[in-house]
């Protein structure tokens, strides 16, 4: 068989390719022609929908409205998701626990949750109470759907006119949403969530159900929640039996329960009740004649002593019990009695100390808020202050506010250094310039004191030393690169802080060793409790024992086993150094005569936060002062108000009790404190046993002699009229009206908090 020639094969391939190209071109031409004809037919048919003039304008506006509306709906859905995530299938029963709290002596101190057996039905609420509430808080309650634009506009107009004080724009539904799901934080995010949750409540509940929930759960001062409890507390009667004057006074409490509490300020409460009565007339609920009797005979509360209401404490304790119930530790019981470690005498001291400090010195230091946590060394919560005024704000600054701890964070760094075996309290360290990357911290006063023992760096609160120590810890792990070694050292510090009880996630930045991360007051108290108890984890707790409604004990905290997180040697060395902070460093104002105290001050950049966290063998206390909006104070340091407040709380707490030693503090041979104690002990043994009072008198005389000697030394220095306080402990600053305040705690680190 004869094969085709190569030339013939090429000719055939060329003709085939030409034919395929012609087929493709023809197809594209015919397809384009068909598409054009179809489009022309479509345009011809659409001409029937063509509009001109006003019809065209209306169509364009409608189209734009649909487009913008769709985009707006998508945006609203996006904004609503965080609010709706706060709800759950059992949100209405989230507080379906009835808990009675007892103090450490077994005395009832308060209740939280719903009382299942005696809650008042809505139909049984007196009409006067409901009208008084609606006329003052939300007159259009039955007309709006969660948000009232008309009421908000009226409030804005009234407030801008400057007549008769201020009116709130929030509806009752919005206020209930805040009480049920949100905190009192003043932020745009909270207001947005509040608005969406108000719509959500309106869609899930009837108006009467919303009103009843508000009347049952609103805080009304004196530790009472709801109108039923308030009527009993203020007037000693059932809510159904209150008079018009009493209903008006109760209605005046909803917005400002502390300000208008008749037990705190009766004239203000009566003035507020008069406003409520006139509001009832304006709303058309009563006539002018009907309120005359109430105006002539204002309500008078029953006489009560000013009770100690540990509201922040009980709120936290209730949340702890609820977490235990959710974890299945309390079986299925819902009516509980909880014995707490609450000490009302310490709680009273804490409340009074914070109130007194803010009243006397708040304006001077430009500070408005505080937080205090007092623990036993094992974590038992003795007292808590979550803010300046529970009635004004139920937001707990002791447990929920995240604030930079400043130098009060450094003990975690030093504990990690001691645990690594690279350092001892007497190890020499050098205070000199240091940088991590392009971040270079400096000490207060921008000066350096050179070579010194580690304990002195702790007492002076030097900023450069913790930075160097974290790098040294990393290098001790075999890492040679400076940046990587510093990062590895910080990781060890974070690991140890978490092991010691800091539950807040810690952000790793170069400035972490000097307190640029954020923690809570509770975190700091728990962490320092490890030093106070010999190195064991001290998770804070408020439930010593839980009983069900039958009186059966269903939980005991004593069954929990502590975990050792620091060795006894590291704990003893830390206690020695932190005792130096109080006796020779930045926390002298925390000293208690006759009691060994250890602790650490902290002041953050810009003086926004001031801390003192201290402990004895008996108690641990963390104190914070600052402002909710993070605005700077007037140069307040941890050695001023926080240390002074700690002293005012702890000094009476240590009276009349057996004083326990700080673990390992008196075991160090050769220290001045131990040498003096040994000499005193020998003298006591030789001459008979001295009483505690004798030791206090001798200690006072010793302090007096030291003061006289200091005055004499000052007199020999030309140009001074008081003891010079310069040198190893840094400069001192005189605050008007107060003794000199130690500011040598490194509060002005350049670039604090940023790498």
């Amino acid at each position: 068989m004869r094969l085709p020639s190569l030339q013939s094969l090429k000719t055939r391939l060329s003709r085939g390719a030409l034919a395929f190209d012609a087929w493709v071109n023809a197809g594209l031409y015919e397809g384009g022609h068909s598409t054009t004809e179809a489009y022309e037919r479509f345009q011809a048919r659409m001409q029937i929908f063509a509009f001109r003039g006003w019809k065209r304008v209306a169509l364009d506006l409608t189209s734009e409205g649909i487009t913008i509306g769709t985009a707006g709906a998508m945006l609203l859905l996006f904004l609503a998701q965080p609010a709706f995530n706060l709800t759950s299938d059992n949100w209405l029963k989230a507080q379906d626990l009835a808990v009675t709290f007892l103090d450490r002596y077994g005395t009832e101190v308060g209740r939280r949750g719903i009382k299942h057996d005696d809650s008042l039905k809505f139909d049984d609420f007196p009409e006067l109470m409901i009208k008084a509430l609606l006329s003052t808080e939300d007159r259009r309650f039955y007309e709006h759907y969660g948000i009232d634009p008309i009421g908000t506009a009226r409030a804005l107009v009234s407030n801008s006119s400057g007549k008769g004080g201020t009116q709130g724009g929030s509806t009752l539904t919005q206020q209930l949403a805040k009480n049920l799901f949100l905190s009192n934080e003043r932020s745009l995010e909270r207001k947005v969530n509040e608005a969406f949750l108000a719509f959500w409540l309106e869609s899930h509940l009837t108006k009467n159900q919303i009103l009843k929930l508000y009347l049952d759960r609103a805080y009304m001062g004196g530790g009472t929640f709801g109108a039923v409890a308030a009527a009993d507390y203020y007037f000693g009667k059932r809510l159904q039996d209150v008079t018009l004057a009493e209903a008006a006074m109760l209605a005046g409490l909803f917005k400002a329960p502390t300000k208008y509490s008749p037990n705190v300020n009766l004239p203000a409460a009566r003035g507020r009740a008069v406003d409520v009565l006139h509001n009832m007339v304006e709303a058309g609920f009563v006539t002018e004649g009907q309120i005359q009797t109430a105006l002539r005979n204002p309500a008078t509360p029953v006489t009560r002593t000013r009770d100690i209401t540990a509201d922040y404490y009980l709120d936290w304790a209730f949340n702890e019990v609820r977490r235990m119930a959710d974890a299945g530790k309390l079986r299925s019981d819902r009516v509980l009695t909880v014995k707490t470690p609450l000490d009302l005498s310490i709680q009273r001291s804490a409340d009074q100390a914070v109130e007194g400090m803010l009243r006397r010195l708040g304006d001077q230091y430009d500070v408005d808020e505080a937080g205090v946590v007092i623990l036993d060394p094992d974590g038992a919560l003795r007292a808590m202050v979550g803010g300046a005024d529970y009635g004004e704000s139920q937001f707990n600054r002791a447990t929920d506010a995240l604030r930079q701890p400043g130098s009060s964070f450094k003990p975690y760094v030093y504990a990690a250094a001691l645990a690594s075996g690279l350092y001892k309290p007497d190890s020499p360290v050098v205070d000199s310039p240091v940088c991590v990357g392009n971040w270079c911290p400096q000490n207060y006063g921008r000066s350096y004191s050179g070579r010194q023992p580690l304990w002195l760096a702790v007492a002076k609160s030097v900023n450069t030393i913790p930075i160097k120590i974290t790098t040294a810890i990393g290098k001790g792990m075999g890492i040679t690169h400076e940046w990587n070694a510093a990062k590895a050292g910080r990781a060890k510090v974070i690991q140890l802080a978490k092991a010691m009880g800091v539950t807040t996630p810690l952000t790793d930045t170069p400035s972490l060793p000097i307190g640029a991360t954020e923690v809570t007051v509770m975190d700091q108290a728990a962490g320092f409790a490890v030093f106070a108890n010999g190195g064991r984890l001290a998770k804070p707790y408020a439930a010593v024992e839980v009983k069900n409604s039958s009186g059966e004990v269903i939980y005991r905290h004593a069954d929990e086993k502590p975990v050792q997180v620091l060795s006894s040697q590291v704990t003893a060395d830390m206690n020695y150094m932190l005792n130096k902070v109080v006796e020779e460093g930045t926390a002298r104002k925390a000293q208690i005569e006759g009691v060994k105290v250890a602790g650490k001050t902290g002041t953050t950049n810009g003086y926004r936060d001031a801390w003192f966290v201290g402990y004895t063998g008996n108690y641990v206390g963390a104190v914070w002062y600052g402002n909710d909006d993070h605005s700077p104070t007037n140069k307040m340091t941890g050695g001023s108000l926080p240390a002074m407040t700690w002293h005012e709380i702890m000094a009476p707490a240590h009276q009349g009790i057996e004083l326990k030693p700080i673990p390992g503090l008196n075991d160090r041979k050769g220290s001045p404190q131990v040498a003096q104690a040994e000499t005193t002990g020998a003298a006591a043994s030789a001459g008979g046993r001295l009483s505690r009072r004798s030791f206090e008198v001798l200690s006072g005389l010793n302090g007096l002699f030291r003061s006289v000697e200091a005055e004499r030394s000052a007199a020999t220095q030309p140009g001074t009229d008081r003891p010079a306080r310069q040198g190893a402990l840094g400069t001192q600053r005189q605050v008007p009206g107060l003794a000199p305040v130690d500011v040598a705690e490194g509060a002005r680190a350049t670039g604090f908090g940023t790498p």
Side-chain angles (χ1 to χ4, degrees), residues 56 58 75 82 112 163 230 251 272 373 380 385 416 426 468 568 629 637 646-647 656 677:
R56 177 63 179 270
L75 176 62
R112 288 294 186 271
K163 297 179 180 179
R272 174 69 169 165
V373 169
V385 179
D426 296 326
K468 292 183 177 182
S568 58
D629 60 1
T637 66
W646 192 94
H647 174 271

Side-chain angles (χ1 to χ4, degrees), residues 731-747:
T731 58
Q732 299 286 328
R733 174 172 56 84
Q734 181 69 32
V735 177
L738 287 179
V741 175
D742 194 343
V743 291
E745 57 184 285

